[in-house]
Amino acid sequence: MLFCTQCGAPVERKIPEGDDHERYVCTACGEIFYENPLNIVGTVPVWEDKVLLCRRAIKPRKGYWTLPAGHQEMKETTRDGAARETREEAGIDFRIADEPLSGSYTNLYIASQFAL
Ligand SMILES: [Zn+2]
């Protein structure tokens, strides 16, 4: 990020007063720009004794096998996002079990793709 989206002035990296993380801050209007993680949501589709995997058709990691997953949309629950991504990526009709979230983890490879 080079310029403020509010006024067009250059931004700088610094820790705003009262904060403990370095942020982009506008040098003119003081706007603070927060960078937050992007949630990837998906499912582990099981049919009989098998787990359904999808083969990636695009970069990154084209050709690799993966669980159906993708970016959570704004105003979408984790569960709804996981279901939508599974339908989009795998093209299957399915039912999400009435169990709570099965897991949450950090994929350092993906996280590094968004590092500044
Ligand atoms: Zn500004």
Side-chain angles (χ1 to χ4, degrees):
M1 178 171 210
L2 298 174
F3 302 100
C4 176
T5 58
Q6 302 300 307
C7 74
V11 295
E12 63 182 353
R13 294 286 292 179
K14 70 178 201 180
I15 299 175
E17 187 175 323
D19 202 337
D20 58 0
H21 284 74
E22 192 173 78
R23 317 277 186 194
Y24 283 108
V25 180
C26 178
T27 57
C29 74
E31 182 77 16
I32 302 168
F33 297 92
Y34 296 91
E35 302 154 280
N36 299 108
L38 299 173
N39 289 337
I40 303 296
V41 292
T43 60
V44 182
V46 176
W47 182 66
E48 296 179 347
D49 62 343
K50 299 176 180 141
V51 173
L52 172 74
L53 296 176
C54 297
R55 195 166 193 179
R56 291 191 54 80
I58 58 172
K59 292 181 178 180
R61 302 180 71 78
K62 182 178 180 179
Y64 281 71
W65 293 98
T66 185
L67 294 168
H71 290 279
Q72 184 177 359
E73 297 287 352
M74 298 296 289
K75 299 182 180 177
E76 182 177 61
T77 66
T78 302
R79 183 185 180 100
D80 289 347
R84 177 187 51 73
E85 284 294 340
T86 299
R87 287 187 185 92
E88 288 178 8
E89 299 297 322
I92 59 172
D93 185 24
F94 70 106
R95 170 185 74 79
I96 291 185
D98 293 329
E99 298 167 11
L101 179 69
S102 64
S104 172
Y105 60 92
T106 298
N107 182 319
L108 294 178
Y109 172 77
I110 291 175
S112 71
Q113 302 304 300
F114 294 99
L116 300 172

